[in-house]
Each structure stands twice: as structure tokens, then as C-alpha cells.
Amino acid sequence: MTADAGEADSPPAAEPDDRDPEPAPGPATEDLEPAVTEAGDGDSAGIDPEEIDVASLTGPVRSLDPRVRLVWIAQSLLTAVVLGAVVSVGSALTFGPAWPGGVVTAVLATAGSVHALLRYRRWSYQVQADSLVLERGVFTEVTTVVPYVRIQHVDASRGPVERLAGLATTVVYTAGTRGADVSVPGLTPEDAEGLQRRLKRLAIAAEGDDAV
């Protein structure tokens, strides 16, 4: 049977496309860098400053871990031995007696040990509602106040001697400086990380209050 002359062959119907249409590109957004950064800690990302309980993050005046005295004494002894060796070599080169090096080592070791004990007794810190306060100094008492609104970065670090003693240090960086402004040594690793997190949240809260 032949088709009618006036009837044109129609193309097959197109199958429906079930694929989702690609979304239209939206406006580019800038990456916002938080005022305080902390390596390996993402639990503070997206925190609303108004939801931070500042009172629960503050605390009384605290002293350092007693083991920090051993770290400071060890550092003093190392310095005394090095300087004593230098004096001994210098005396030997000038054909002098060897005992000055031993005297220098003994004096510096004793003075360094006493200084370390006094330094420990004078060291304290307190996390207040608006700032971190440090009290220290043997011959001259030094009080350092670090407002949270100026804190940009907080680290918890452990040097070789600190690792041997099971201690750590919390290092605080503030705006307008290239290096670390203040550090709190003689902390257990848990206390150092806890202080790090507390200061970060307090800085976020202070930034929110300052922006209001």
C-alpha cells in the first residue's frame, strides 16, 4: 500500500531527557579567613560568637606545672657547661690554668638553678573575660595583658626538652606583630591544647562583640 502524496514522513519523537539541568553559575564568593586559626582543630568553624559562653571559658589564677623547673634547670646547666668549656679552652690557649672553666661552670649552674626556681614561683597566668593576663619576673615583675580582640593565632608547641619532660607551650600571636607576642610554658599537652581552644573561642567572641 502506498502513502498519500500529501503526507510527509515525520521524524521520530525525541525521547525526554531525564538529566537535571546544570545550575546557572552564581556570583563568585570570596573565601573569608577567620581571625583566629588553629592547625588541626576544625571544631570552631562556623561558631556564632553570640553562642559562646565566655564565663565558662574563664578561670582562676594558675601556676605552671612543677616539671618546668627541671626544663629550665637543664637549660641553665647546658649554658653553664658550654660557657665553662669556652673559658677552659681560652685559658689553655693562653697557657693558663684549667680551673677557671670549672669555676665558671659551677657558678653559672648554681645561679641558673636558683633563677629557675624563683622564676617558677613568680610565673602565673589567668584567663579572664576580656584578656589573658600573665605575671612573671624574678628581679623585675612583669604583667602582660593580651586582649582577646587582638589575638590572631594560637599554637600549642613542644620542643625536644619539653617532650622529654612531658610538657608543652601555648604560643599566642597578636595583630600587628611578626613573631609570637607571649607564650605560656610549663603546661601538660592536654592543658596546652585546652588553653589553645579556649583562647580561640574567646577571641571569636571578642571579635563578635567588637563588631557590634
Side-chain angles (χ1 to χ4, degrees), residues 69-136:
R69 294 175 295 183
L70 301 177
V71 174
W72 291 341
I73 291 175
Q75 293 171 344
S76 299
L77 293 178
L78 179 60
T79 302
V81 170
V82 171
L83 294 179
V86 171
V87 172
S88 297
V89 171
S91 179
L93 292 177
T94 58
F95 303 99
W99 59 263
V103 172
V104 170
T105 300
V107 171
L108 292 180
T110 302
S113 300
V114 173
H115 183 272
L117 297 177
L118 294 176
R119 181 184 177 189
Y120 168 76
R121 293 183 60 184
R122 301 291 179 86
W123 233 110
S124 65
Y125 69 96
Q126 183 180 17
V127 179
Q128 298 183 354
D130 58 350
S131 59
L132 173 66
V133 180
L134 311 178
E135 298 280 353
R136 60 201 187 280

Side-chain angles (χ1 to χ4, degrees), residues 165-177:
L167 298 176
T169 298
T170 298
V171 186
V172 181
Y173 301 83
T174 59
T177 59

Side-chain angles (χ1 to χ4, degrees), residues 11-19:
E15 297 182 357
D17 190 0
D18 295 336
R19 293 176 299 177

Side-chain angles (χ1 to χ4, degrees), residues 56-67:
S56 65
L57 299 175
T58 60
V61 178
R62 298 190 59 182
S63 59
L64 306 181
D65 191 285
R67 288 174 292 178

